[in-house]
Amino acid sequence: MSSNQDIQLEVDGDVAIVRLNRPGKRNALSDGLILAVRHAFENLPSTVRAAVLDGAGEHFCAGLDLSELKERDAGAGLHHSRMWHAALEEVQYGPVPVIAALHGAVVGGGLELASACHIRVADSTTFYALPEGARGIFVGGGGAVRIPRLIGAARMADMMLTGRVYQAEEGERAGFAQYLVPEGQAFAKALELAKRVAQNAPLTNYALMHALPRIAEQPADQGFLTEALMAAIAQSAPEAKQRVRDFLEGRAAKVGKG
Ligand code: 1HE
């Protein structure tokens, strides 16, 4: 899929597994790796219905590859940040929902990458930090937009001002992850969820990826209209009609019963 050895793509049925594969450097995101992330999500096989994003080794991702952070003028810095934006847009607004399997360090640009995913599963070794503050820089991979939507601007400012680190349990309570699992189980849980997500009607997944975050940012009056349009389109699909019929005729699972 990609010639870059720092990323791996596997396909398991209708789920793609994209794995950052630079464990020796704690999956630090070099420019090459960020471009490979973009390429992987832009080129998922058309049979794929959901994806898991994982990191090889003991850490999900140590953020920006600091060895590449050379003197950049303002223009080069702007384009570098926009390159990250383009890559992470492919994760958030690509073809399928993405479930991140978090463990160890989820820091700096690694947290920005995790924030672009739709569901985050963290194991008990996970920790979250934004060392940009200590390094004298700022987030540049969309974190200023996405992270406050997970945890609030006040928590993010505290992390960057004071270097505060959130451990797994506290992090889940704060909103970084929707699931917290024992050590070593994040990938298995993420895969299980991805297989479940892959069963949804594609238009439902589309609505959740593309309409919901935008509706949530719209003034209520516009949001209600966008919601109504999306609802009308989703329910008009033959698959939606079949699924409703299956429930009414006793063929579909009841809520909470498998
Ligand atoms: C790296 C990086 C990196 C590790 N860039 N090389 N991110 C940070 O400020 C986080 C920096 N990293 C760490 O704090 C630690 O490495 C970890 C807590 C993630 C892991 O600790 P540990 O003890 O398991 O590993 P290590 O011994 O620190 O690192 C192993 C190797 O990975 C080592 O290289 P080696 O050649 O000496 O073996 C490290 O130098 C290397 N390494 N992290 C480059 N980040 C869009 S803007 C986003 C801005 C940011 O993301 S700023 C935050 C950057």
Side-chain angles (χ1 to χ4, degrees):
M1 192 91 288
S2 166
S3 58
N4 191 322
Q5 298 305 303
D6 292 344
I7 201 157
Q8 287 175 341
L9 178 88
E10 256 174 73
V11 176
D12 177 355
D14 44 17
V15 173
I17 298 156
V18 179
R19 184 170 289 116
L20 307 176
N21 186 37
R22 246 194 129 194
K25 294 290 180 187
R26 309 309 184 244
N27 298 320
L29 295 162
S30 60
D31 287 1
L33 184 46
I34 272 294
L35 290 172
V37 167
R38 176 178 178 167
H39 184 268
F41 284 93
E42 266 174 353
N43 293 284
L44 289 177
S46 59
T47 50
V48 159
R49 296 273 171 264
V52 172
L53 178 62
D54 191 19
E58 285 172 20
H59 299 280
F60 174 73
C61 178
L64 177 72
D65 185 330
L66 292 168
S67 70
E68 289 185 353
L69 187 64
K70 356 180 210 311
E71 299 267 326
R72 286 195 189 103
D73 66 19
L78 171 78
H79 290 304
H80 184 260
S81 172
R82 297 299 286 157
M83 177 184 81
W84 272 65
H85 291 166
L88 271 51
E89 284 261 324
E90 276 308 317
V91 178
Q92 181 174 6
Y93 295 124
V96 295
V98 184
I99 294 107
L102 305 180
H103 54 287
V106 181
V107 306
L111 179 53
E112 295 184 275
L113 175 60
S115 315
C117 298
H118 303 91
I119 300 177
R120 281 156 295 281
V121 179
D123 85 359
S124 58
T125 69
T126 306
F127 58 95
Y128 310 91
L130 289 168
E132 285 88 340
R135 310 268 180 251
I137 54 178
F138 189 57
V139 284
V145 172
R146 295 191 181 98
I147 297 170
R149 288 178 184 158
L150 296 180
I151 60 166
R155 282 198 186 92
M156 178 170 174
D158 176 29
M159 291 171 79
M160 294 192 72
L161 288 168
T162 68
R164 180 168 179 171
V165 176
Y166 280 81
Q167 301 298 330
E169 204 171 309
E170 192 188 12
E172 189 244 356
R173 282 201 304 273
F176 288 104
Q178 295 100 319
Y179 295 83
L180 179 61
V181 297
E183 178 172 356
Q185 292 183 24
F187 176 73
K189 181 68 183 176
L191 187 59
E192 175 198 321
L193 292 170
K195 289 190 169 178
R196 173 70 185 76
V197 167
Q199 304 303 307
N200 293 339
L203 262 181
T204 299
N205 283 348
Y206 181 89
L208 289 166
M209 292 175 66
H210 295 271
L212 178 63
R214 290 173 168 118
I215 292 169
E217 297 300 321
Q218 285 181 327
D221 182 50
Q222 293 172 23
F224 290 135
L225 180 63
T226 313
E227 179 191 81
L229 294 172
M230 193 67 244
I233 292 168
Q235 79 186 23
S236 72
E239 184 166 356
K241 298 194 185 313
Q242 182 62 47
R243 284 170 181 244
V244 172
R245 216 177 297 123
D246 286 347
F247 174 76
L248 292 174
E249 294 169 10
R251 289 189 298 272
K254 293 187 187 182
V255 173
K257 300 197 174 151

